[in-house]
């Protein structure tokens, strides 16, 4: 009977791991899209440097439950996008690894 129960445990763990991968991919897509938007706004001169800080403040004031959108992280999202934007073969692959691992790659000396 325990072997049959272990099958259920394995199914639960497998499903949980799949869910984590899907959530991670969605977050990376979100960060990519935010970075893309910020990058294009700054390049077009529609936004100055201080707008990113204003955006962060706005998000914190209007959506206090949202975490991870400090001005520092928003700048990282922009840098993430700009690092890979010119490499269309790489951009889908970077969505397969965690945000932390992407930051390690970007900021590795």
């Amino acid at each position: 009977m325990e072997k049959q129960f272990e099958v259920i445990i394995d199914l639960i763990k497998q499903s949980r791991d799949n869910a984590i991968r899907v959530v991670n991919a969605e977050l990376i897509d979100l960060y990519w899209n935010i970075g893309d938007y910020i990058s294009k706004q700054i390049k077009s001169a529609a936004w100055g440097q201080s707008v990113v800080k204003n955006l962060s403040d706005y998000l914190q004031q209007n959506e206090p439950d949202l975490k991870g959108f400090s001005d520092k992280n928003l700048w990282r999202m922009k840098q993430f996008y700009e690092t890979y934007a010119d490499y269309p073969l790489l951009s889908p692959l970077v969505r397969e690894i965690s945000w932390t691992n992407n930051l390690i790659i970007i900021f590795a000396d």
Side-chain angles (χ1 to χ4, degrees):
M1 201 60 137
E2 282 186 30
K3 285 188 180 191
Q4 293 172 339
F5 293 168
E6 289 297 323
V7 170
I8 298 299
I9 289 173
D10 289 342
L11 288 172
I12 292 168
K13 287 180 179 180
Q14 191 175 43
S15 184
R16 183 180 56 208
D17 291 345
N18 290 340
I20 290 169
R21 276 193 293 279
V22 169
V23 169
N24 182 66
E26 282 297 317
L27 282 174
I28 297 298
D29 280 343
L30 172 64
Y31 299 161
W32 177 273
N33 292 330
I34 290 172
D36 176 26
Y37 187 83
I38 291 171
S39 178
K40 287 177 180 169
Q41 291 298 317
I42 290 173
K43 283 181 183 173
S44 72
W47 285 11
Q49 298 285 331
S50 65
V51 176
V52 173
K53 174 68 172 135
N54 294 342
L55 170 60
S56 175
D57 292 344
Y58 180 85
L59 291 171
Q60 289 173 7
Q61 289 171 357
N62 291 284
E63 296 292 335
D65 293 337
L66 290 178
K67 303 296 180 208
F69 297 96
S70 67
D71 57 325
K72 185 176 179 180
N73 281 342
L74 292 170
W75 284 114
R76 286 181 179 152
M77 291 173 203
K78 175 186 173 286
Q79 187 171 8
F80 169 66
Y81 168 77
E82 290 175 348
T83 298
Y84 297 115
D86 293 333
Y87 301 97
L89 296 177
L90 272 182
S91 63
L93 299 175
V94 299
R95 292 175 168 115
E96 299 296 320
I97 60 176
S98 72
W99 178 242
T100 301
N101 286 333
N102 273 298
L103 293 179
I104 290 169
I105 291 168
I106 292 170
F107 296 109
D109 290 330

